[in-house]
């Protein structure tokens, strides 16, 4: 072998590089423009370099409610995350055995993924308003976002339990463990990494959801709605600074999830080595 790479390698590498550029190019551009000087605008060339527009975010804004919308998105994301994790576990456990109507129920759950998001938002908003209920981000907005996050969480848990080795549970029962003890000390630690993934899915999908929140948030905007509103009346790089900070926050959330994965992996390795020493 002469070590020479075929032409197809370079073609595919170029396509992949273009894909990465297309994927992250807009985010990088916004990040660069957010460091404009005080006299900077919304386009290149940049007029100086400073942190002026980041400081502006913490001043009283003439338009919008940036930090109020951020807190609402954060609270809503946590609500959706917890609900998605709990319901996904319950659904995954329920579908381990066939029951009457399980196939129909499965397709009904998945169907919400292919329904246009704006129609879901419109439908949920109409149901709440016609029922005399308040259209609010914590009620109707919460419900409409669950139609987006729950199918993803359930699909992940279906895949996890489909390849779950039941012999672990049988061994726990043979040793006298109750159903709750089997779940708490055997099943839950094994599926914990997948639950972190479901939680990350639930939070991030909720945090940046626009269409399903558009007609269900009521009088108070979430952060995606607030940013969309700002694009029509904000003509300074402060909106780019906001985009850079929200992107950084998203990466922090992903980083926390990765750290949790690493901690769980080390614990498993340590428990396995301890068990091996015990057998010796």
């Amino acid at each position: 072998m002469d070590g020479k790479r075929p032409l197809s390698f370079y073609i595919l590498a170029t396509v992949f590089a273009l894909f990465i550029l297309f994927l992250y190019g807009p985010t990088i551009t916004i990040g660069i423009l957010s460091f404009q000087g005080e006299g900077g605008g919304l386009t290149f060339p940049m007029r100086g370099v400073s942190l002026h527009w980041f400081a502006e975010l913490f001043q009283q804004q003439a338009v919008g409610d940036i930090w109020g919308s951020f807190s609402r998105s954060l609270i809503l994301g946590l609500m959706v995350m917890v609900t998605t994790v709990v319901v996904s576990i319950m659904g995954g456990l329920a579908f381990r055995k066939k029951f009457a109507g399980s196939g129909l129920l499965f397709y009904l759950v998945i169907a919400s993924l292919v329904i246009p998001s704006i129609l879901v938002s419109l439908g949920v908003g109409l149901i709440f308003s016609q029922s005399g209920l308040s259209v609010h981000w914590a009620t109707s907005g919460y419900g409409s976002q669950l139609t987006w996050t729950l199918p993803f969480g359930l699909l992940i848990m279906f895949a996890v339990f489909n390849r779950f080795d039941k012999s672990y549970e049988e061994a726990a029962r043979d040793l006298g463990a109750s159903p709750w003890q089997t779940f708490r000390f055997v099943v839950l630690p094994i599926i914990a990494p997948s639950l972190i993934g479901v939680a990350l899915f639930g939070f991030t999908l909720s945090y940046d959801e626009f269409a399903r929140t558009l007609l269900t948030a009521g009088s108070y905007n979430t952060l995606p709605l607030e940013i969309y509103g700002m694009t029509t009346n904000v003509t300074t790089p402060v909106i780019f600074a906001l985009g850079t900070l929200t992107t950084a926050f998203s990466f922090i959330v992903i980083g926390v999830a990765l750290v949790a994965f690493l901690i769980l992996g080390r614990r498993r390795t340590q428990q396995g080595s301890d068990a091996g020493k015990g057998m010796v």
Side-chain angles (χ1 to χ4, degrees):
M1 296 179 65
D2 56 4
K4 186 177 181 180
R5 298 183 184 276
L7 178 62
S8 60
F9 170 82
Y10 296 100
I11 294 175
L12 292 175
T14 302
V15 172
F16 180 73
L18 291 174
F19 170 74
I20 294 297
L21 180 63
F22 176 80
L23 192 64
Y24 291 102
T27 302
I28 295 172
T29 302
I30 288 175
I32 294 173
L33 289 174
S34 64
F35 291 95
Q36 291 258 29
E38 291 188 27
L42 298 178
T43 59
F44 289 105
M46 293 179 63
R47 301 174 185 173
V49 178
S50 72
L51 297 175
H52 172 75
W53 301 109
F54 290 94
E56 282 290 306
L57 283 175
F58 296 91
Q59 305 299 323
Q60 182 66 37
Q61 299 295 315
V63 292
D65 179 22
I66 294 175
W67 298 110
S69 61
F70 172 76
S71 63
R72 287 188 285 273
S73 284
L74 180 61
I75 294 171
L76 182 57
L78 292 174
M79 292 168 55
V80 171
M81 178 188 74
V82 172
T83 306
T84 301
V85 170
V86 173
V87 175
S88 296
I89 293 175
M90 297 171 65
L93 291 172
F95 274 84
R96 296 182 75 184
K97 294 183 179 179
K98 291 287 186 179
F99 56 88
S102 60
L104 176 62
L105 182 59
F106 171 78
Y107 289 115
L108 286 175
V109 170
I110 303 305
S112 66
L113 293 177
V114 299
I115 299 175
S117 298
I118 193 66
L119 293 183
V120 175
S121 180
L122 176 62
V124 173
L126 285 174
I127 290 174
F128 271 75
S129 60
Q130 294 299 316
S131 302
L133 301 174
S134 174
V135 177
H136 191 268
W137 60 269
T139 55
S140 53
Y142 168 68
S144 65
Q145 289 194 1
L146 285 177
T147 66
W148 181 234
T149 61
L150 281 177
F152 282 106
L154 287 170
L155 285 174
I156 292 173
M157 295 314 301
F158 290 165
V160 169
F161 282 117
N162 187 53
R163 64 175 190 266
F164 189 86
D165 190 348
K166 295 182 180 180
S167 62
Y168 294 115
E169 296 170 280
E170 295 172 356
R173 287 192 293 267
D174 290 342
L175 293 172
S178 65
W180 167 248
Q181 289 174 322
T182 301
F183 174 76
R184 169 67 180 82
F185 296 106
V186 178
V187 177
L188 196 58
I190 293 175
I191 67 173
S194 300
L195 294 183
I196 295 175
V198 172
L200 186 61
F201 254 116
F203 181 83
T204 54
L205 289 176
S206 169
Y207 179 71
D208 65 1
E209 178 57 30
F210 175 81
R212 294 181 189 241
T213 319
L214 180 61
L215 302 176
T216 58
S219 303
Y220 298 97
N221 286 340
T222 57
L223 187 60
L225 298 178
E226 194 68 27
I227 293 175
Y228 177 76
M230 290 176 65
T231 60
T232 62
N233 49 32
V234 175
T235 57
T236 63
V238 69
I239 191 171
F240 293 152
L242 176 60
T244 300
L245 285 185
T246 54
T247 301
F249 176 75
S250 299
F251 278 114
I252 290 172
V253 172
I254 295 172
V256 170
L258 291 176
V259 170
F261 275 121
L262 290 174
I263 292 174
L264 286 174
R266 288 183 179 180
R267 285 186 177 180
R268 279 188 172 184
T269 303
Q270 184 63 39
Q271 290 173 354
S273 62
D274 292 343
K277 292 178 181 177
M279 292 177 65
V280 174

